[in-house]
Amino acid sequence: MAFIIKVTNQLTPAIATSINTNVAAAHLIIDPLIIPLSKAQTTGILHVAANREAETAAIRSGIMGAFAASLPTGLTIELFDAMTQEQADTDAQQAHYASLAAELENHGIIIRNNRFVYALQALDTASLLGKTNPAIAAAEKIIRDDFYSKTTAGGEVDYTISIAGTTTIGGVKSDKYLTNTGTTILTVLKVNGNVIDTITIYPGSARLIPIGWVNVIVTNKSATEAGAFAVYMK
């Protein structure tokens, strides 16, 4: 069931301006750290996970620190340790900003929910008022025809998805819209795709399915309501 979530502290225009000022200041500090990468560098860069971090630390301790002759030309153990500190500081700053981004994302989800719930309440009220007011009835019909029509012309197919459920859809037409026709937040990801490419679709909105996403996984983020969506199929 959809409901309004109380917002204790609002993100006012003044707060938004303050955040923008601080973000601009942060850009002045961080932007000079940007390192442009060539296509070859982007393709060949090693993504070091926790196990490789442990290996790096073991090599530092057991070989590089113990046998100076093992150090690559131009590298000193002091330089390597300075890189270790730089990595730790970079990770810490990233965590700070990621935490702030997550908090803002959650705030946005709540505000977006509240706006939509209020809008649905207004639509329900319009349904009642429209019984005696032709103008309201006509306005309501436009909304319902645009957003609640169940037609499947042109290969569009309607689906429902259970509470907190996940469904895999095969044979999707890429570069076509997947429309969230329900009142829950949905996420979409290509089967065996990278989680960072996950697409979030809010109620009443649609997103283009990227080219090549033929088989997708759709997830309903709500733990209280079933979801619904429409997607073009081959």
Side-chain angles (χ1 to χ4, degrees):
M1 178 179 180
F3 50 85
I4 296 294
I5 299 172
K6 183 178 180 181
V7 177
T8 306
N9 295 307
Q10 294 180 320
L11 198 161
T12 64
I15 292 176
T17 298
S18 179
I19 293 173
N20 290 338
T21 300
N22 282 278
V23 169
H27 271 293
L28 291 175
I29 299 171
I30 296 172
D31 285 354
L33 302 176
I34 296 173
I35 304 170
L37 298 177
S38 66
K39 184 176 181 180
Q41 288 173 322
T42 300
T43 302
I45 197 167
L46 300 177
H47 294 278
V48 182
N51 62 324
R52 294 308 185 193
E53 285 282 11
E55 182 179 354
T56 301
I59 294 172
R60 157 61 180 89
S61 176
I63 295 179
M64 299 171 71
F67 307 100
S70 69
L71 294 172
T73 302
L75 180 70
T76 65
I77 198 65
E78 290 77 17
L79 286 173
F80 188 81
D81 287 345
M83 291 170 61
T84 301
Q85 184 61 50
E86 182 177 6
Q87 177 185 325
D89 291 339
T90 301
D91 291 346
Q93 295 305 316
Q94 181 185 5
H96 292 326
Y97 281 97
S99 175
L100 291 173
E103 291 171 9
L104 287 171
E105 180 183 18
N106 187 62
H107 191 87
I109 288 172
I110 292 171
I111 301 301
R112 192 173 282 108
N113 168 85
N114 289 354
R115 291 178 64 246
F116 189 57
V117 173
Y118 279 132
L120 290 178
Q121 291 174 353
L123 184 63
D124 288 342
T125 300
S127 296
L128 297 175
L129 296 175
K131 294 178 181 180
T132 57
N133 188 316
I136 294 179
E140 181 209 357
K141 184 177 185 303
I142 291 173
I143 299 298
R144 293 198 182 277
D145 286 349
D146 284 346
F147 295 98
Y148 293 93
S149 174
K150 296 300 182 181
T151 58
T152 59
E156 193 173 19
V157 178
D158 291 316
Y159 289 92
T160 58
I161 183 169
S162 62
I163 294 172
T166 296
T167 184
T168 301
I169 308 294
V172 171
K173 276 189 179 181
S174 57
D175 206 29
K176 289 281 190 178
Y177 282 101
L178 186 150
T179 303
N180 186 342
T181 56
T183 58
T184 68
I185 297 172
L186 305 178
T187 61
V188 184
L189 180 64
K190 178 183 177 182
V191 172
N192 296 324
N194 192 322
V195 68
I196 65 174
D197 296 325
T198 300
I199 296 172
T200 300
I201 308 179
Y202 294 97
S205 62
R207 293 284 300 274
L208 278 174
I209 297 297
I211 294 175
W213 285 29
V214 178
N215 302 311
V216 301
I217 301 171
V218 182
T219 301
N220 179 15
K221 304 300 288 184
S222 174
T224 57
E225 290 186 77
F229 62 93
V231 64
Y232 288 89
M233 306 295 293
K234 292 184 177 181

